[in-house]
Amino acid sequence: MFIKGKKVLLRAVELGDADVLQQMINDEEVERMMWGYSFPVARHQQLKWIENLSNEKSVLRAMIDVDGSAIGTIILSDIDMRNGIAEIHIKLANACERGKGYGTDAVSALVAYAFDELRLNCIYCRIKEDNIASQKLFEKCGFVKEGCLRSRVYRNGKHHNFYEYSILK
C-alpha cells in the first residue's frame, strides 16, 4: 500500500533505502534538530535495522519517495487508537530537497491518511525552538503551536526548548 501526495509517494522502508537512512542519521545538521539522540551508524548496522523492522501497531514508518528516489522519512509514532492521537516526525535527507514542497506534501498526505483511514483525531509534533523551517512547515500544514517544553533536550553543551504543535481532525 502507498500513501500518495501531490508530489510524493509514502511507501514502506526497503533494504535499498539503507544509504539514505544512514546518511540522515549520520548527518550532524539533521540530528541536531531532532528530539532524541543517536550514535554513528555503519552500513551493516543500518541494513540489520531495516531487516528487523516489523509491523508495529503503534508505529507507521514510511519513506518519502519522489520519482523513484527516497529523499527522506516520515513516521507516525505512539499511535494510540483508543484516544485517537499520534506523534509525527519527518526528516529530509539533505538541504537540496528542502524548500521544494516535498515535506509539506508528505506531512499533509500522512495527516490525511491518519484522520481518514486510521480515524485519529489529533496529530502532534515537537520542534526544537531554533528549527524555524520545521515550524513553518507544520504551520503551513495547519498545525497550531500549543506550548513550550522548557529545557527539554540537551544538545551542544546546553539545554534547548521544544515547541509542541498539533492538528485536530
Side-chain angles (χ1 to χ4, degrees):
M1 181 198 82
F2 300 111
I3 301 169
K4 295 179 183 177
K6 294 175 183 168
K7 297 181 175 189
V8 303
L9 181 72
L10 307 182
R11 59 165 178 79
V13 178
E14 302 285 346
L15 282 173
D17 299 319
D19 290 340
V20 72
L21 290 168
Q22 182 184 7
Q23 175 192 349
M24 286 188 302
I25 203 163
N26 288 331
D27 185 329
E28 184 179 332
E29 181 184 337
V30 172
E31 284 302 304
R32 190 181 70 238
M33 293 297 169
M34 297 294 119
W35 176 265
Y37 63 92
S38 63
F39 298 105
V41 173
R43 180 162 174 75
H44 74 276
Q45 293 170 307
Q46 190 66 62
L47 288 167
K48 187 173 183 175
W49 180 84
I50 293 170
E51 289 172 348
N52 290 326
L53 284 178
S54 63
N55 289 332
E56 303 172 58
K57 290 184 178 185
S58 65
V59 179
L60 185 161
R61 296 178 198 280
M63 296 305 296
I64 302 168
D65 193 293
V66 175
D67 299 325
S69 296
I71 64 158
T73 186
I74 190 162
I75 301 166
L76 274 183
S77 68
D78 299 319
I79 299 171
D80 179 341
M81 299 303 265
R82 179 179 177 143
N83 293 304
I85 61 173
E87 184 172 6
I88 192 169
H89 315 261
I90 185 170
K91 288 184 190 178
L92 294 179
N94 56 51
C96 71
E97 301 303 343
R98 298 182 192 134
K100 296 180 180 178
Y102 299 139
T104 302
D105 192 39
V107 168
S108 296
L110 189 56
V111 166
Y113 177 81
F115 287 160
D116 298 341
E117 298 298 324
L118 300 181
R119 295 185 281 154
L120 298 182
N121 185 58
C122 176
I123 309 295
Y124 65 92
C125 64
R126 297 176 184 138
I127 303 171
K128 196 165 170 242
E129 65 186 334
D130 62 348
N131 189 344
I132 305 304
S134 286
Q135 292 173 41
K136 288 180 179 179
L137 180 152
F138 281 96
E139 288 170 0
K140 186 174 182 179
C141 291
F143 282 69
V144 175
K145 186 190 292 186
E146 292 187 331
C148 180
L149 304 169
R150 298 176 303 143
S151 294
R152 203 51 54 110
V153 173
Y154 189 79
R155 287 271 198 269
N156 298 331
K158 67 178 190 173
H159 286 89
H160 296 270
N161 298 333
F162 270 70
Y163 297 131
E164 185 151 299
Y165 283 77
S166 74
I167 187 169
L168 301 176
K169 184 175 182 175

